[in-house]
Amino acid sequence: MADLTSDFLGISSPNPFWLASAPPTDKEYNVRRAFEAGWGGVVWKTLGSEGPPVVNVNGPRYGAIYGADRRLLGLNNIELITDRPLETNLEEIARVKADYPDRAIIVSLMVPCEEQAWKDILPRVSETGADGIELNFGCPHGMSERGMGAAVGQVPEYIEMVTRWCKQYYDKPVIVKLTPNITDVRKPAQAAKNGGADAVSLINTINSITSVNLDLMCPEPTIDGKGSHGGYCGPAVKPIAMNMVAEIARDPETDDLPISGIGGITNWRDAAEFMSLGCGNVQVCTAAMTYGFKIVEEMCSGLSQWMDEKGYDNVSDFVGRAVPNVTDWKYLNLNYIAKAKIDQDECIKCGRCYAVCEDTSHQAISMGEGRVFEVIDEECVACNLCVDVCPVENCISMVEMAAGSIDPRTGKVVQDDYANWTTHPNNPGAVAAE
Amino acid sequence: MAHGQTASGIVAGRLTADEIATNFSDLHPAHAPHEASVAADRCYFCYDAPCVTACPTEIDIPLFLRQIQSGQPESAARTIFDQNILGGMCARVCPTETLCQEACVRETAEGKPVEIGRLQRYATDALMATGQHPYVRAAPTGKTVVVVGAGPAGLACAHRLAVLGHEVVVHEAKSKSGGLNEFGIAAYKATNDFARLEVEWLLEIGGITIQNNSAFGSDIGLSDLQNQYDAVFFSIGLGGVNSLHAEGVDLNGVHHAVDFIEGVRQSDDLNELPIGRDVVVIGGGMTAVDAAVKAKLLGAQNVTIAYRRGQDAMGASRFEQDLATSRGVRIMSLVQPISVLGEGASDEIELGYTRSENGKLVATGETVRVSADQVFMAIGQTLDGAPPELTIEAGKIAVTGAGRTSMSGIWAGGDCASGGDDLTVTAVAEGRDAAMDIHEILIG
Ligand SMILES: Cc1cc2nc3c(=O)[nH]c(=O)nc-3n(C[C@H](O)[C@H](O)[C@H](O)COP(=O)(O)OP(=O)(O)OC[C@H]3O[C@@H](n4cnc5c(N)ncnc54)[C@H](O)[C@@H]3O)c2cc1C
Ligand SMILES: Cc1cc2nc3c(=O)[nH]c(=O)nc-3n(C[C@H](O)[C@H](O)[C@H](O)COP(=O)(O)O)c2cc1C
Ligand code: SF4
């Protein structure tokens, strides 16, 4: 049986599934129940400085995007950091950690961008016995208007500076949580590394307006007739998060920087995908907020079964395995030629492939007598659109053409060697192939 | 309860009022809004969708499903009514399992078609509930068309003509309009007086005058119509019934199924309706199934459909057959009636076994007797009262194209006209198409 034990920055947890800093980790009651349910660790809901805590709105703070049957695909929130006193949180953290020594507890922090503020809070966090800290440089709403959260995360110099202070005044692992609301995520990651961060975690939520109430002419969630942008998360953000993770994992400047993956992770497969792209562990928020803590059981059993099937003994065995295969477009093999193939036995004759290829692609599907849909190899560029819109799994597949055969579209012989854009004759900047 | 289920003879009150109410409640209740959007979302929005081709009125089904899914059942309803003004009734009575839903690719894929019929009901109910009629009439054309028979074909024709700006006069023999929607269709398919309400809603277009209790033939003749009006459309349905040629059919307790069904549809109090303990229905079509199911729902203990061919040859769809058997009706196939037996009133029926030899039905010589204090004959309706001047073909008014009869200026459609499937929806399609053709001839 696969061993799910995770060691992230020397912090061990019985599995790689942590709850991200958010309402599920807001207080002792929740975190104890999360641990009882089986979560490997938590990143405690972000703490602010000593003094009167922040206040949240008293109206709706979430908005949602749904798929079929109200399946929640995306969640948007305008919640701030913890609105409970610092002291209360610290006491609770200490108590829970003492009772669950085998679970990871990371304390998320967001205090003003001044050295003294960090110098004040870090020793107190240290006293709780928590395993590390995560710097919340990501919150995109509310806190950023006060010069914290994403306002810091969008300026690499600030990230580096604050991270350095934290490494100076705190002796356990420091994780820097990145905001996706930035053009090139590699820059803040490099800054975190330069500041001495032990790891980065990403993504925090994405600036968003989920919907507009067309009667009120106001964004939702609506507070007394007004709405404000919020942070988007949940299954819809997973592709964006994974790309950012991969960018950092394959950047030579940060390829040795551990990553905690966050963003839309909903089941074991999502987690395995993030980990294959270089994440040492993963964090989950929306899935727990949608289905409750119990989902971790499926995540553990799923990951374990998959690892057994693949022959991975430890989670570290597959972390980063997909990274070498993430490349730039210009290195993709232009000699690889495929054609769509429709399995007539599987086909239910809906004609979606025909509609999309005819209207929006390459007019490479014919519609014959009796609604028989067939690919016209002379036209097919193997774009995959038909595969993507076909409602029947495995009905249309992409079949690679054997080297030596002739591509009926171009009339050229399919080559078995590798050739990419960098050497292509149409590329004005092509370098001569060796 | 006056009588139990076991009391012999034809008596009322076999079931409690509650049981009767439950039995005659809606067969396919409407979707709730969330249910509807989930069900509509299952549509794949097929290219040149096969369901549209399978619908005799060619409703743009993928479009109306998408309109439901995106939260506007009212625009979905307009899409439906554009093609089929009786889309509300069709949603309730169409054998969708042999029409649109049979063609649905999700039927092919997983045996679970999109619930087109129920969703059509959801949309049409939503628009009709607004109390508004969605069409306005074109400028008056000065032409007047007469329609004979206010069933689905006649109503669809009249509505389309009215929309196009013509005046329409409808002669209807009965005191109520709607044709078999009102008198024939199973009660549990069109609950809450839907047939009447739908006619009222349809007439809101204006320009249609229905003269009830006005029968062609006895009250008016063909030349009257030709002289008075610019065009004539016959939609008189099949008013006659076939009778059984067997001994004892004149005994008490032997009825035409359509009369029984009409009695049920028009009854003010189903608890007062008498029904036999042992009921035998002769026939294999929709009428046979409806009569059998209704007998069962009224409390008959044993109901048997006796059909002379194999079950797969039955006119009633598989779904309808299953509906009957699920209500406890027994279907006997390959039996034909020999004689009804009893002293003054039917007591039992003797059936002879048949088999098919080279496509021909032959008696095997074996017989069986089934208790029958009531026998319903459902062996087909026939054309009755068509003007003799028109050419008749295989028992129906011969038509070509969009309902043109052998005489110019006279059209026919629905059950009384040749071709078509004797369904509500085909009657609507034929009425609509004839209206378009009449319009072209009158204006074009
Ligand atoms: C018991 C039964 C159940 C059925 N169930 C279904 C079902 O579930 N689904 C389905 O799709 N179809 C069903 N059908 C078939 C469907 O009802 C018919 O196909 C449809 O009603 C035909 O419409 P129509 O307008 O041609 O004729 P009809 O509905 O028969 O209307 C004809 C009208 O003309 C009137 N009329 C007749 N003669 C004259 C005259 N001389 N002068 C003036 N008016 C006259 C009649 O009174 C009647 O109102 C059923 C039929 C029966 C009998
Ligand atoms: C209601 C809510 C509150 C959140 N609060 C915090 C927070 O205080 N600190 C933080 O670092 N991230 C916060 N997040 C972001 C999550 O930790 C996480 O990064 C993000 O939701 C993406 O993961 P997911 O797709 O699994 O939800 C919050 C998210 C939600 C939905
Ligand atoms: S792969 Fe693209 S081009 Fe080829 S048939 Fe499919 S949709 Fe058309």
Side-chain angles (χ1 to χ4, degrees):
Chain A
M1 255 262 289
D3 179 3
L4 294 189
T5 312
S6 147
D7 176 339
F8 188 68
L9 316 177
I11 305 165
S12 97
S13 57
N15 61 55
F17 305 114
W18 292 3
L19 284 167
S21 174
T25 64
D26 186 35
K27 52 178 153 351
E28 179 174 358
Y29 179 81
N30 294 6
V31 173
R32 281 185 187 275
R33 294 186 69 244
F35 285 161
E36 288 306 317
W39 289 89
V42 301
V43 182
W44 203 275
K45 172 78 184 171
T46 306
L47 311 184
S49 298
E50 181 83 70
V54 302
V55 293
N56 271 301
V57 292
N58 298 302
R61 54 179 93 159
Y62 305 125
I65 294 290
Y66 295 109
D69 206 358
R70 267 178 93 83
R71 188 188 175 98
L72 190 123
L73 297 182
L75 187 72
N76 155 294
N77 83 89
I78 53 168
E79 176 175 289
L80 303 182
I81 62 173
T82 185
D83 53 12
R84 305 184 319 138
L86 176 64
E87 193 55 40
T88 312
N89 277 305
L90 292 174
E91 280 168 14
E92 290 183 2
I93 292 168
R95 266 204 303 274
V96 182
K97 181 65 207 179
D99 286 351
Y100 291 91
D102 67 324
R103 310 298 172 96
I105 297 190
I106 306 297
V107 178
S108 170
L109 295 174
M110 184 197 288
V111 296
C113 216
E114 298 150 9
E115 187 167 4
Q116 192 58 43
W118 294 92
K119 210 171 161 179
D120 289 344
I121 199 167
L122 289 168
R124 304 187 61 186
V125 172
S126 224
E127 282 166 19
T128 62
D131 301 293
I133 57 173
E134 185 181 80
L135 311 185
N136 178 352
F137 292 155
C139 182
H141 48 265
M143 304 311 294
S144 53
E145 295 167 15
R146 305 174 201 182
M148 293 182 269
V152 179
Q154 287 163 342
V155 185
E157 292 75 16
Y158 291 172
I159 296 179
E160 185 173 337
M161 176 176 73
V162 176
T163 310
R164 190 160 285 130
W165 292 333
C166 291
K167 285 308 286 182
Q168 192 178 343
Y169 301 115
Y170 183 71
D171 56 7
K172 284 188 180 163
V174 175
I175 305 168
V176 173
K177 184 166 180 177
L178 302 180
T179 176
N181 300 308
I182 188 159
T183 318
D184 184 351
V185 79
R186 291 172 302 182
K187 296 290 181 283
Q190 289 160 6
K193 190 181 167 192
N194 294 340
D198 297 279
V200 287
S201 57
L202 67 159
I203 58 172
N204 208 310
T205 55
I206 304 177
N207 284 339
S208 64
I209 290 177
T210 40
S211 53
V212 175
N213 182 316
L214 292 177
D215 296 322
L216 300 176
M217 280 296 168
C218 178
E220 294 184 309
T222 302
I223 307 282
D224 192 24
K226 300 273 187 238
S228 145
H229 79 258
Y232 198 46
C233 49
V237 310
K238 177 187 152 193
I240 298 165
M242 292 213 297
N243 174 56
M244 291 187 162
V245 162
E247 287 291 284
I248 294 170
R250 69 193 191 92
D251 178 5
E253 295 202 32
T254 50
D255 59 6
D256 57 348
L257 186 62
I259 304 173
S260 181
I262 319 171
I265 295 162
T266 307
N267 56 34
W268 70 268
R269 177 181 291 275
D270 299 330
E273 291 179 18
F274 270 83
M275 293 170 80
S276 76
L277 288 172
C279 298
N281 75 358
V282 293
Q283 299 182 28
V284 174
C285 168
T286 304
M289 290 184 69
T290 310
Y291 303 106
F293 290 145
K294 192 179 161 67
I295 54 164
V296 73
E297 291 177 31
E298 166 269 311
M299 292 180 163
C300 288
S301 65
L303 191 66
S304 172
Q305 178 180 328
W306 172 76
M307 285 170 61
D308 287 344
E309 284 164 8
K310 294 287 176 189
Y312 297 124
D313 297 327
N314 298 293
V315 288
S316 54
D317 291 354
F318 64 89
V319 168
R321 285 253 180 158
V323 177
N325 293 328
V326 183
T327 184
D328 292 341
W329 191 95
K330 64 185 176 203
Y331 298 124
L332 297 175
N333 184 3
L334 294 175
N335 281 347
Y336 175 90
I337 294 169
K339 296 286 170 192
K341 189 148 178 39
I342 301 173
D343 181 342
Q344 297 299 337
D345 294 334
E346 290 290 319
C347 178
I348 60 171
K349 306 194 185 304
C350 67
R352 275 178 143 185
C353 57
Y354 175 80
V356 297
C357 191
E358 188 69 14
D359 289 359
T360 73
S361 284
H362 296 83
Q363 296 75 47
I365 294 181
S366 64
M367 178 174 175
E369 193 62 31
R371 299 181 70 81
V372 174
F373 297 96
E374 281 167 316
V375 176
I376 305 163
D377 286 348
E378 286 74 12
E379 304 295 337
C380 177
V381 301
C383 73
N384 212 44
L385 185 61
C386 53
V387 176
D388 293 332
V389 303
C390 178
V392 180
E393 221 175 328
N394 300 326
C395 172
I396 310 182
S397 45
M398 280 299 153
V399 182
E400 181 181 357
M401 290 194 72
S405 54
I406 293 177
D407 177 356
R409 186 174 70 87
T410 58
K412 294 196 178 128
V413 177
V414 178
Q415 306 293 314
D416 65 355
D417 58 339
Y418 161 88
N420 64 43
W421 176 246
T422 62
T423 56
H424 196 279
N426 289 14
N427 178 358
V431 293
E434 296 294 306
Chain B
M1 203 190 314
H3 299 89
Q5 278 201 282
T6 50
S8 69
I10 304 172
V11 295
R14 292 187 179 275
L15 299 177
T16 64
D18 280 352
E19 286 169 325
I20 292 277
T22 311
N23 283 354
F24 284 86
S25 64
D26 223 331
L27 180 62
H28 303 293
H31 284 108
H34 174 69
E35 241 187 319
S37 88
V38 174
D41 198 51
R42 293 186 65 236
C43 170
Y44 286 147
F45 210 72
C46 293
Y47 181 80
D48 191 10
C51 53
V52 179
T53 317
C55 170
T57 54
E58 299 197 25
I59 294 170
D60 190 341
I61 294 162
L63 178 60
F64 96 68
L65 293 174
R66 199 174 162 86
Q67 288 165 320
I68 291 177
Q69 195 275 331
S70 61
Q72 291 187 324
E74 301 82 6
S75 30
R78 269 188 293 272
T79 302
I80 295 162
F81 291 136
D82 280 351
Q83 290 295 105
N84 180 337
I85 195 66
L86 296 184
M89 183 59 84
C90 286
R92 290 162 166 79
V93 306
C94 273
T96 52
E97 63 281 0
T98 60
L99 299 170
C100 52
Q101 291 184 191
E102 180 180 54
C104 177
V105 300
R106 297 201 75 154
E107 170 66 31
T108 319
E110 59 209 282
K112 277 196 218 115
V114 175
E115 291 179 281
I116 300 167
R118 271 184 87 195
L119 286 161
Q120 179 169 322
R121 169 167 177 184
Y122 176 76
T124 50
D125 280 2
L127 191 137
M128 288 170 80
T130 65
Q132 273 155 28
H133 189 87
Y135 297 95
V136 287
R137 297 183 66 196
T141 59
K143 305 280 182 191
T144 306
V145 180
V146 64
V147 169
V148 184
L155 290 169
C157 181
H159 186 272
R160 182 55 65 99
L161 288 168
V163 168
L164 294 170
H166 306 286
E167 288 294 311
V168 187
V169 173
V170 185
H171 289 283
E172 166 55 53
K174 296 211 181 213
S175 61
K176 286 187 184 178
S177 306
L180 288 170
N181 285 359
E182 178 60 48
F183 295 99
I185 296 293
Y188 41 84
K189 290 181 185 168
T191 53
N192 298 326
D193 217 4
F194 183 76
R196 181 180 60 79
L197 295 171
E198 187 180 44
V199 173
E200 283 174 11
W201 171 84
L202 178 145
L203 293 178
E204 280 167 30
I205 183 69
I208 304 174
T209 314
I210 301 195
Q211 298 180 3
N212 287 102
N213 304 312
S214 166
F216 171 80
S218 43
D219 305 318
I220 4 154
L222 188 59
S223 52
D224 301 332
L225 298 181
Q226 285 175 303
N227 294 338
Q228 266 177 275
Y229 302 104
D230 298 297
V232 186
F233 179 66
F234 277 97
S235 47
I236 53 174
L238 298 172
V241 278
N242 285 323
S243 278
L244 212 53
H245 300 293
E247 257 174 73
V249 291
D250 47 354
L251 287 175
N252 282 339
V254 182
H255 320 272
H256 286 294
V258 286
D259 295 336
F260 164 63
I261 289 168
E262 179 169 337
V264 176
R265 279 301 301 275
Q266 298 304 310
S267 154
D268 292 330
D269 184 2
L270 292 170
N271 297 294
E272 301 284 311
L273 271 191
I275 189 74
R277 181 184 64 189
D278 304 302
V279 175
V280 174
V281 182
I282 311 295
M286 196 106 89
T287 308
V289 165
D290 277 2
V293 171
K294 283 194 178 106
K296 195 72 200 168
L297 298 180
L298 284 171
Q301 194 178 33
N302 304 303
V303 179
T304 307
I305 290 177
Y307 178 56
R308 62 195 179 127
R309 298 181 194 279
Q311 201 168 336
D312 47 353
M314 282 177 73
S317 70
R318 187 77 219 186
F319 173 85
E320 295 280 343
Q321 294 174 34
D322 290 348
L323 178 73
T325 51
S326 75
R327 296 292 194 278
V329 171
R330 176 169 66 141
I331 299 180
M332 282 177 86
S333 51
L334 296 170
V335 284
Q336 63 190 6
I338 295 175
S339 58
V340 182
L341 308 159
E343 297 290 322
S346 166
D347 189 33
E348 56 180 358
I349 183 165
E350 184 166 61
L351 303 167
Y353 285 103
T354 64
R355 69 164 177 267
S356 158
E357 250 170 41
N358 307 324
K360 277 193 72 180
L361 208 58
V362 293
T364 66
E366 296 145 303
T367 61
V368 60
R369 286 188 179 193
V370 178
S371 292
D373 37 34
Q374 205 164 22
V375 176
F376 294 129
M377 297 176 288
I379 51 171
Q381 285 92 260
T382 57
L383 183 64
D384 186 31
E389 297 89 331
L390 296 178
T391 305
I392 305 296
E393 166 191 298
K396 297 203 170 193
I397 299 173
V399 293
T400 52
R404 294 186 189 187
T405 66
S406 53
M407 290 173 72
S408 91
I410 302 180
W411 281 257
D415 286 1
C416 68
S418 61
D421 285 327
D422 289 1
L423 293 174
T424 309
V425 65
T426 31
V428 172
E430 289 166 16
R432 176 200 68 190
D433 294 347
M436 295 308 294
D437 197 40
I438 292 170
H439 176 70
E440 240 169 72
I441 297 287
L442 293 186
I443 301 301

